[in-house]
Amino acid sequence: MADVVVIGGGILGAATALHLADAGVSDVVLLEREAALGTQTTAAGAGFVGYWAGELEAELAEYGMEFYTGLHDRIGGDLGVRRVGLLFPAVSEPGVEMLRQEHERELPFAPGVVMLDAADTERMAPILAPGSVHGALLQPDAHRVDTVRVMTALEAELERVGVDVRTGVTAEGAVVEQGRVAGVRTSDGPIAAGALVNAAGAAARAVAARDGVDVAAVPLLESRFTTEPIAGVARDLPMLLFFERDLLYVREHDGGLLVGAIERSFDARSRVALEAPPRTAELSDHAARDHERLARELAGVIPALGDARVRERASGLPTWTPDGRHILGLAPEIDGYVVLAGCNESCVTHGPGLARLAAELATTGTCDADISAYRVDRFGALSSGDLQAAAEHQYLLRHPPAAGVAAAPFGIELP
């Protein structure tokens, strides 16, 4: 019998299983339907770890930075974890005003956040064309993370601490007896268990629905691409994020650049079936190709993007909620059923901290943080259509509403 079964082998699930084992839980089973851990949305992650929202999220971000740095130091080798800082360059004067508003918003929770003039911005990021930017906002503590290398390290850690990792096994639902989790049904047969954590990513809603649990997390297509190595791209290049260009993001990756952006609208190619989301290999790559065109258009700001050769495209299905905040808590009416979902494209940043809290919930039924804003049942009953529309609206809030006006903070409207 397992003490806890964790469903999902991405960063959320793997980090939860590791935290459970580190807390002394002796029998932890991690289920992943794919042949290996971290091959789906996690593998397509941009790897930007910064301060995206408010006080609770800032604590999660700080924990994430400590977690990845500790993993890097413990494992040895190069996991692609570096404190390089995050720059938000402004390509116009209204863009500077937008960043001033964002600066004021971040001051209470983002350590050292500061406005830079154009000269300092260009010194920090030499790939910017001289005279192309008007200034920038800087988060100096932000970290860059290579999600593929980190997942390889996490898999080694799970083996070290004795977690029973079962790949190629699909979770089919919970076994519930007298209102409490008693096990998990799987494609390999049932597993007796005292608790489960649903960290199934894009499939979290579908998995929970089999047990009558409503998880308001909608998978939405996101894509990015990487380039071949580019002369002059240094490993300590700050991560760049352009509010005025569809949140186009750029960071160093294996001597080249990793580039992506957010969508301006949604159509059938970007939506997936909530009851049966596809694997990443089945996703359209149209968004990545759109981002390539957007990147070429930014060649006046980053000349290297003008003729950079694309090495790889990747797509994933991060899940969005109607209020842009995570879902973390015990499922109503089923003791021992923990839901960890709704990454809102912040899984790499907030995942380790959320995993620590999920592990506490699975073992004690409570945790040391006020997570009431993340409770599972806070949305009530929404139709699939209303849920899809609300999640898409929240996603699109990240676009500035007008020139010189800051966008909603990554879709999260704080109380």
Side-chain angles (χ1 to χ4, degrees):
M1 173 176 174
D3 292 314
V4 184
V5 172
V6 180
I7 302 171
I11 278 184
L12 285 178
T16 299
L18 181 60
H19 279 88
L20 285 163
D22 284 344
V25 180
S26 57
D27 293 305
V28 180
V29 175
L30 176 62
L31 302 179
E32 168 53 50
R33 68 176 181 174
E34 303 300 326
L37 300 183
T39 64
Q40 298 299 290
T41 299
T42 291
F48 283 53
V49 181
Y51 296 95
W52 308 128
E55 183 177 349
L56 176 54
E57 287 80 14
E59 293 174 3
L60 294 172
E62 289 169 2
Y63 185 85
M65 294 173 194
E66 295 170 1
F67 177 86
Y68 293 121
T69 300
L71 185 66
H72 182 278
D73 293 343
R74 194 162 61 250
I75 293 292
D78 184 4
L79 301 186
V81 176
R82 290 186 180 84
R83 180 183 179 271
V84 295
L86 173 59
L87 271 178
F88 299 80
V91 297
S92 69
E93 282 302 328
V96 173
E97 176 56 33
M98 184 190 308
L99 292 177
R100 288 195 184 104
Q101 297 169 35
E102 179 67 11
H103 177 242
E104 289 298 315
R105 189 188 69 81
E106 292 186 10
L107 276 173
F109 59 81
V113 63
V114 65
M115 291 291 296
L116 301 182
D117 63 19
D120 284 340
T121 303
E122 291 174 14
R123 275 194 291 271
M124 282 201 69
I127 67 170
L128 296 171
S132 64
V133 298
H134 295 250
L137 175 69
L138 170 66
Q139 291 183 8
D141 282 352
H143 283 56
R144 190 191 79 193
V145 171
D146 186 312
T147 57
V148 173
R149 295 179 189 175
V150 162
M151 281 305 305
T152 299
L154 278 175
E155 190 165 13
E157 285 289 89
L158 292 172
E159 181 178 0
R160 178 185 64 81
V161 298
V163 170
D164 181 1
V165 177
R166 303 186 189 182
T167 56
V169 178
T170 301
E172 298 176 342
V175 177
V176 180
E177 297 177 358
Q178 298 181 335
R180 179 169 185 84
V181 169
V184 178
R185 302 187 311 277
T186 82
S187 56
D188 268 6
I191 302 172
L196 74 82
V197 179
N198 179 350
R205 177 175 173 82
V207 169
R210 298 166 191 160
D211 301 308
V213 178
D214 186 58
V215 174
V218 175
L220 294 175
L221 177 71
E222 277 289 4
S223 300
R224 51 84 168 166
F225 67 92
T226 58
T227 75
E228 296 289 349
I230 297 171
V233 173
R235 298 205 317 173
D236 60 354
L237 174 73
M239 300 176 291
L240 306 175
L241 199 156
F242 293 84
F243 267 130
E244 299 165 271
R245 295 292 186 272
D246 294 351
L247 251 62
L248 185 129
Y249 55 82
V250 179
R251 72 163 175 85
E252 188 273 343
H253 180 81
D254 290 341
L257 295 173
L258 183 150
V259 186
I262 64 173
E263 310 309 310
R264 284 209 157 269
S265 61
F266 291 96
D267 59 27
R269 296 173 300 174
S270 299
R271 298 187 179 108
V272 300
L274 298 184
E275 66 278 6
R279 270 107 164 146
T280 56
E282 302 165 334
L283 297 175
S284 166
D285 70 352
H286 75 280
R289 294 180 184 276
D290 288 344
H291 302 337
E292 289 169 34
R293 288 191 287 271
L294 184 62
R296 306 293 185 207
E297 293 170 4
L298 200 66
V301 179
I302 303 177
L305 291 176
D307 56 3
R309 297 177 59 186
V310 174
R311 170 187 283 177
E312 174 204 30
R313 300 179 184 93
S315 296
L317 290 171
T319 55
W320 279 78
T321 63
D323 63 359
R325 307 196 87 170
H326 306 303
I327 298 173
L328 173 61
L330 295 167
E333 301 180 1
I334 305 181
D335 290 341
Y337 192 121
V338 178
V339 177
L340 175 50
C343 69
N344 298 291
E345 218 171 322
S346 300
C347 181
V348 179
T349 295
H350 299 155
L354 291 169
R356 180 182 69 84
L357 299 174
E360 289 185 29
L361 286 171
T363 53
T364 69
T366 186
C367 65
D368 64 4
D370 179 6
I371 57 171
S372 57
Y374 297 163
R375 73 181 190 277
V376 178
D377 61 350
R378 67 186 185 273
F379 302 110
L382 292 175
S383 69
S384 293
D386 287 344
L387 175 60
Q388 183 84 34
E392 290 179 9
H393 172 73
Q394 203 66 38
Y395 174 104
L396 294 172
L397 280 175
R398 295 182 294 171
H399 288 287
V405 179
F410 280 76
I412 300 173
E413 296 188 7
L414 300 174

